[in-house]
Amino acid sequence: MANRLLKVSSLATAVFASSGFYLYSSHLDLSDLSVIRFGRAVATTAVISYDYLTAFRHVENGTDEYWDLKSKVHRRSAERLRDLCCANRGTFIKVGQHLGALDYLLPEEYTSTLKVLHSRAPESSMEEIQQVIREDLGKELSDLFLSFEEKPQGAASLAQVHKAVLHDGKTVAVKIQHPKVQKQSANDILVMEVLLKAVHWLFPDFALMWLVEEAKKNMPLELDFLNEGRNAEKVADMLAHFRFLKIPMIHWNLSTKRILTMEFADGGQVNDRDYMQAHGINVNEISENLGKMYSEMIFVHGFVHCDPHPGNVLVRKCPQTKKNEIVLLDHGLYQVLQPDFRLNYCQLWQALIKGDMSGVERYSRRLGAGDLYPLFACVLTARSWKAVNAGISSVPVTRSEDIEIRTNAGLYLPQISDLLNRVPRQMLLLLKTNDLLRGIETTLQTRASSSSFINMSRCCIRAIARHKRTKAQSRRRRVQITLAESLSLWKLYMYELFLWLKGSMTILMSLLH
């Protein structure tokens, strides 16, 4: 017996020793092991859940002490979640960034804490970068590039970008996927799905399964850089009439599923007011142009860039024309809107702008909101119900209204979760896109300007008229639709001219006094 135990212990020692030597010699990071990542996620979820289950036992609901304690629990839970995302990296950071943009759904403690994930993405080592290039392009760096900057221009959750010079002298940006993301993403999403189901069982009001469904659908697309390159070329062709928009050209001969080589374009982030001031870039013009291109994508074409966080939207003076220019990057995530959905969405926004409440109800119901249409209108616009009733184009955004929206987000969490599980999946990425764009406008202090609503209305009018023309049975009917469209656009132009004259007169009077 003792002899047998000795043999077993000797074998176990040999196995552990050889395993240890293998892990050391292969430079395997233990934190990349699935079991470690899973354990870390389970532990964090358990600690957060236990905190919420026990923190309020001896506090009366609704008191000042209760609300103060709830804010503290939100804050420390958000910090634990942020630390988990930073430790597990990759897909966790991507989902954490998405959560950080859900101002209409999550308490402020969560959104403000998770927003930092945009600047906390991991960096791959130069050895890892060279290995990806070797595996995908079959050559060494020196064979492909005249020079290659080791320090990345920027690192994101799924990839990082390096500046390089080709042998023909062209400067390019090389986007290279973190080598472990592809293998880990499917497991990470499965872990999130299991844990979210467990949390939903503990807290029935917490229903974020739609987030996992979106990650399942979108992550494979975002991890395919050839798909990103095709999207970039499609949107460049689609919006070619916007001279202020720059989409970097793709170098297909140096691109694979994990590597995307494109024309290098520098600039400041779209929310950097100091950069714009230093370079003589008009903030209002940038905000208006951003609204123009997104209105065109959403309402006219139904092909929408869904990740407009500031790192993906740069502004600069065009080197050739010296005019203000928007550079749109990261084309991995696009939403294709179905025609019926897009037209109902157009009609809904027109009703919201005008304060047409019967239209708001009708088109909200068509988009799946049901009896929750008032909440849907508030979530979509990030405005109070009072402002929605008055017409969002006629009521300016105030700080008190923003505070009211944030407070209500916490109070109506179950209803908002129910709403997000009702609406078509297409709506979820649009809501995220709206939130990111609103965040930019808030930073630039141009939110809810009249020009943004005018641009939206113009695109809605064009989209609806184009749809009606395709359904028209006669040439006469098509001419009638075109004339009605022209008249509506002319009225909008006159209104825009009136606003411009009114603004000019206000400025002139202030100068005279």
Side-chain angles (χ1 to χ4, degrees), residues 33-43 88 92 188 191 194-195:
L33 292 175
S34 294
V35 67
I36 300 291
R37 298 165 65 77
F38 176 71
R40 193 184 282 134
V42 169
N88 276 5
F92 278 83
D188 287 347
V191 168
V194 170
L195 293 177

Side-chain angles (χ1 to χ4, degrees), residues 30-140:
L30 288 174
S31 66
D32 289 325
L33 292 175
S34 294
V35 67
I36 300 291
R37 298 165 65 77
F38 176 71
R40 193 184 282 134
V42 169
T44 301
T45 305
V47 170
I48 291 173
S49 299
Y50 182 78
D51 201 359
Y52 276 104
L53 285 169
T54 60
F56 308 102
R57 281 180 180 171
H58 307 295
V59 182
E60 187 180 344
N61 193 342
T63 62
D64 289 343
E65 185 184 0
Y66 172 86
W67 291 114
D68 184 54
L69 179 59
K70 193 168 189 177
S71 177
K72 288 176 181 175
V73 175
H74 283 336
R75 180 71 63 188
R76 60 180 178 247
S77 298
E79 288 169 356
R80 286 167 182 149
L81 190 56
R82 177 202 62 204
D83 293 343
L84 169 65
C85 293
C86 290
N88 276 5
R89 297 171 293 186
T91 309
F92 278 83
I93 285 185
K94 192 74 181 175
V95 172
Q97 289 172 342
H98 192 163
L99 287 170
L102 300 180
D103 291 312
Y104 54 85
L105 176 58
L106 296 179
E108 187 275 336
E109 292 87 351
Y110 275 90
T111 54
S112 62
T113 301
L114 294 175
K115 273 182 170 70
V116 304
L117 289 174
H118 283 296
S119 58
R120 293 278 289 273
E123 285 187 19
S124 292
S125 67
M126 198 58 200
E127 289 75 18
E128 290 173 315
I129 293 300
Q130 287 174 317
Q131 186 60 29
V132 172
I133 287 174
R134 223 176 273 124
E135 289 171 4
D136 283 33
L137 296 175
K139 291 183 178 180
E140 296 296 328

Side-chain angles (χ1 to χ4, degrees), residues 429-442:
L429 279 179
L430 277 185
L431 289 172
K432 173 194 170 186
T433 305
N434 285 345
D435 282 348
L436 289 168
L437 290 171
R438 263 195 293 268
I440 291 169
E441 288 179 342
T442 300

